Structure formats: structure tokens, C-alpha cells
Amino acid sequence: MSSVVIRVLVGSTNPVKKGAAMKAFAKAFPDHAIHCEDLNAPSGVADQPMNEQDTKLGAQNRATYCAHFDSQQKYDYYVAMEGGVDYFDEGPATYAYITVRNQEGRMITGRTANLPLPQFVYQRLEQGEELAHVMNDIFNQHNIRQKGGAIGVLTNHIETRESVYMQGLVLALAPFLHSEMFYESSV
């Protein structure tokens, strides 16, 4: 492993999000050491975002907060993940928006795939409950959001919240991996 260290600040103290960031950066930058820290960054949106606009804004707000918090520029990247729900043509689903920002202020926001939700779960969310609490109740779990999440229990742990967030983050890193293609005036 190279002595070059990439420092990442994750806008959440949830170990699932920090773990997803650590694994995604290790995959994207295999010749670098990855140092990952977390920070309780406010989303500026409801605890349970109920549409794509608020979910995306929550991720962007958290990443921006991390960048402003890092006044000494100790970190190379600021990462945030915000889970949300919405009602689509196919029915209710949960997903996450993922924002990656670098020291230069370049910010990319990506999105995970949808996980369909049962109608009765969505109805509870419309009444003000958070998805993690509803899943805890239905599956008799405790603190599901720091485990496999709704993704884990509804896919029989074939995928987890961490694995889906990791994939979304790897995809969002593409413009940083190939900055010459995304940010240069010509290739």
C-alpha cells in the first residue's frame, strides 16, 4: 500500500455510513491508505425526508457542513449520505442520495437504487414515523439503521444499507477518478 493517505470526513456518526465510505474509497483508490473520520453534520431537512428534493438537499447540506467545518483543510473529501422515501409510479420506495465534495469545492451528488416499500410502511411514514423505527417495530429489531437497515431485512440480507451506500458512493466518485474527462475543457 502506498504511503499516500486520502483523508475523508463523513457527515454522520452512523457506523454504517462511515463503513460504506471507508470501503468505497478503498475500492476506488486501492493504492492509497484511507483515513476516515465522522462528524455529526446537520442535514437541514426532516429526520425522515419524504421526497427526492429534500433527500438530495440533506446530503448536500451535510457535505457542505463538513467542508466548512474543516477550516484547516485536513481532509481531501467530504462525504454525506441521506436516506429518504418517496412515492413513485411503481409505489413507495426508499433510496439515498450521496454527496462527495473535495477541497476545491467540486461536488457530485449521486443516488442509490430504489428499494420498494410495502404500502402500510409508507402510510406510517406519512404519519410522521421514521423508516428505521417502523422497521424496528415490524421486524422486532433494535437500532436497525446502524445494522443492515430496511434494505437488509427486506432483501433477506442479500444487500445491506452499507453495501448499497458503498455502491452509490463508488459511482459518485467517477468524476474524481477521471477529473480530466469531467472538468477539463477538452479531452
Side-chain angles (χ1 to χ4, degrees):
M1 186 174 284
S2 169
S3 61
V4 176
V5 176
I6 293 177
R7 298 185 183 284
V8 180
L9 184 59
V10 179
S12 173
T13 57
N14 185 321
V16 168
K17 293 179 180 182
K18 184 178 177 183
M22 187 73 171
K23 289 176 182 174
F25 274 86
K27 280 186 128 184
F29 300 98
D31 296 331
H32 295 75
I34 308 301
H35 177 78
C36 202
E37 292 185 26
D38 54 18
L39 174 69
N40 187 12
S43 69
V45 300
D47 289 342
Q48 179 59 75
M50 293 295 291
N51 59 55
E52 287 191 279
Q53 181 179 354
D54 286 349
T55 308
K56 182 178 183 180
L57 180 61
Q60 292 172 339
N61 286 346
R62 288 179 194 269
T64 299
Y65 181 90
C66 288
H68 292 299
F69 176 84
D70 184 26
S71 59
Q72 296 180 359
Q73 293 194 325
K74 288 179 18 183
Y75 300 94
D76 302 298
Y77 293 94
Y78 313 98
V79 175
M81 296 155 242
E82 186 74 23
V85 298
D86 209 336
Y87 202 97
F88 298 95
D89 290 343
E90 302 79 22
T94 186
Y95 52 86
Y97 271 92
I98 297 165
T99 298
V100 181
R101 182 176 169 151
N102 68 5
Q103 281 187 352
E104 290 78 41
R106 291 185 174 145
M107 188 164 74
I108 298 295
T109 300
R111 189 181 175 290
T112 67
N114 282 356
L115 172 72
L117 292 174
Q119 186 65 42
F120 73 93
V121 169
Y122 185 74
Q123 289 168 346
R124 287 180 63 176
L125 301 178
E126 285 184 304
Q127 294 169 10
E129 292 185 69
E130 286 185 56
L131 182 58
H133 299 144
V134 174
M135 291 290 110
N136 281 337
D137 182 42
I138 293 169
F139 288 94
N140 197 25
Q141 298 278 321
H142 175 72
N143 205 10
I144 205 167
R145 75 174 49 162
Q146 292 189 3
K147 297 175 186 169
I151 295 164
V153 294
L154 291 176
T155 66
N156 293 334
H157 298 281
I158 296 167
E159 293 292 339
T160 64
R161 191 173 188 215
E162 183 178 82
S163 68
V164 171
Y165 285 10
M166 183 185 73
Q167 181 190 50
L169 181 50
V170 167
L171 297 178
L173 283 170
F176 297 105
L177 295 171
H178 295 279
S179 60
E180 74 285 354
M181 297 175 80
F182 287 86
Y183 300 114
E184 300 300 320
S185 58
S186 63
V187 177

